[in-house]
Amino acid sequence: KNQVEQSPQSLIILEGKNCTLQCNYTVSPFSNLRWYKQDTGRGPVSLTIMTFSENTKSNGRYTATLDADTKQSSLHITASQLSDSASYICVVSPDPYNQGGKLIFGQGTELSVKP
Amino acid sequence: KAGVTQTPRYLIKTRGQQVTLSCSPISGHRSVSWYQQTPGQGLQFLFEYFSETQRNKGNFPGRFSGRQFSNSRSEMNVSTLELGDSALYLCASSFSGTGGNEQFFGPGTRLTVL
């Protein structure tokens, strides 16, 4: 069964600290993996997307890694800011066209950054 | 380029009523997907429309329906509302051409069923 599992479920860190969120998937075939950031009450916004051949992708203070062999991805946030408080969702697509019905969503990690 | 817009943003209904939500995709995007998001279930896929045709459908009862118009705008309808239908309803649009299509999400419609 295609599944995406994220850990931890929730995380509290102090402003300025780094953190790493994990995503393990059992999706086959694999086309791409995307990390989304979702602020409370808003729609998700894409942070990074990686295909099979990519190991790392950065977007400002956000760096995603992908190990296609172990089917694991991580999202590293450097020098966290209060605005990083959000839910982070890992999404895996077996379909290069990313058809809506084919995407496999993780449950998300709720990150809270405290001053 | 304007993003995905959804109307209304908030809605309060009572059990048994029906509701229609609207989604306007990014100009040029032909695919619109709808999702239900609840704290316990995360994002659940409802259906996807492409060029006015339903291309994929999730595991929701027939009370949930949708359609897409020739300008790619989409509506979803929920009839005979139940308390469990309270959720954030998100739509996402994509070009759905070749290769790595990103889904762009709207801000969502927060539906509360009393």
Side-chain angles (χ1 to χ4, degrees), chain A:
Chain A
K1 181 185 174 184
N2 287 335
Q3 250 180 318
V4 174
E5 294 184 355
Q6 293 186 240
S7 62
Q9 257 190 324
S10 61
L11 184 61
I12 300 174
I13 61 172
L14 292 176
E15 188 179 11
K17 298 295 185 183
N18 303 336
C19 69
T20 300
L21 314 181
Q22 299 291 341
C23 172
N24 296 337
Y25 62 92
T26 53
V27 177
S28 183
F30 174 86
S31 176
N32 59 76
L33 183 148
R34 195 185 296 272
W35 283 92
Y36 281 93
K37 177 188 178 189
Q38 184 177 21
D39 293 316
T40 302
R42 307 296 296 274
V45 175
S46 179
L47 293 173
T48 64
I49 178 172
M50 290 179 291
T51 58
F52 183 87
S53 59
E54 295 174 296
N55 299 120
T56 185
K57 187 72 71 77
S58 290
N59 178 357
R61 295 179 297 102
Y62 301 99
T63 299
T65 63
L66 174 65
D67 186 333
D69 290 332
T70 62
K71 299 189 177 181
Q72 295 180 325
S73 177
S74 65
L75 180 68
H76 186 76
I77 304 174
T78 304
S80 61
Q81 300 176 357
L82 298 179
S83 59
D84 292 330
S85 295
S87 179
Y88 291 85
I89 304 171
C90 174
V91 184
V92 178
S93 176
D95 165 32
Y97 297 96
N98 294 326
Q99 291 184 45
K102 307 286 178 64
L103 301 178
I104 315 297
F105 288 84
Q107 293 286 344
T109 291
E110 197 69 39
L111 174 65
S112 181
V113 181
K114 302 294 187 184

Side-chain angles (χ1 to χ4, degrees), chain B residues 4-108:
Chain B
V4 178
T5 58
Q6 292 186 245
T7 56
R9 291 294 312 279
Y10 302 92
L11 207 47
I12 299 176
K13 293 285 188 179
T14 56
R15 278 185 304 172
Q17 287 186 308
Q18 76 164 20
V19 67
T20 299
L21 313 182
S22 179
C23 172
S24 293
I26 292 172
S27 177
H29 285 191
R30 295 182 295 167
S31 168
V32 174
S33 297
W34 287 91
Y35 300 88
Q36 181 194 67
Q37 187 177 36
T38 58
Q41 297 293 320
L43 273 147
Q44 303 288 312
F45 172 73
L46 281 154
F47 28 66
E48 180 197 12
Y49 286 88
F50 178 77
S51 294
E52 302 180 64
T53 301
Q54 188 179 86
R55 182 159 69 174
N56 290 296
K57 188 177 188 303
N59 297 320
F60 277 80
R63 298 184 298 107
F64 292 82
S65 63
R67 60 178 174 168
Q68 186 179 35
F69 302 95
S70 58
N71 61 359
S72 292
R73 190 177 70 85
S74 177
E75 289 182 346
M76 69 162 279
N77 184 275
V78 187
S79 62
T80 318
L81 284 166
E82 300 177 359
L83 295 179
D85 297 333
S86 294
L88 181 67
Y89 289 88
L90 294 162
C91 83
S93 77
S94 68
F95 174 69
S96 207
T98 57
N101 293 286
E102 177 178 348
Q103 289 215 331
F104 293 85
F105 284 84

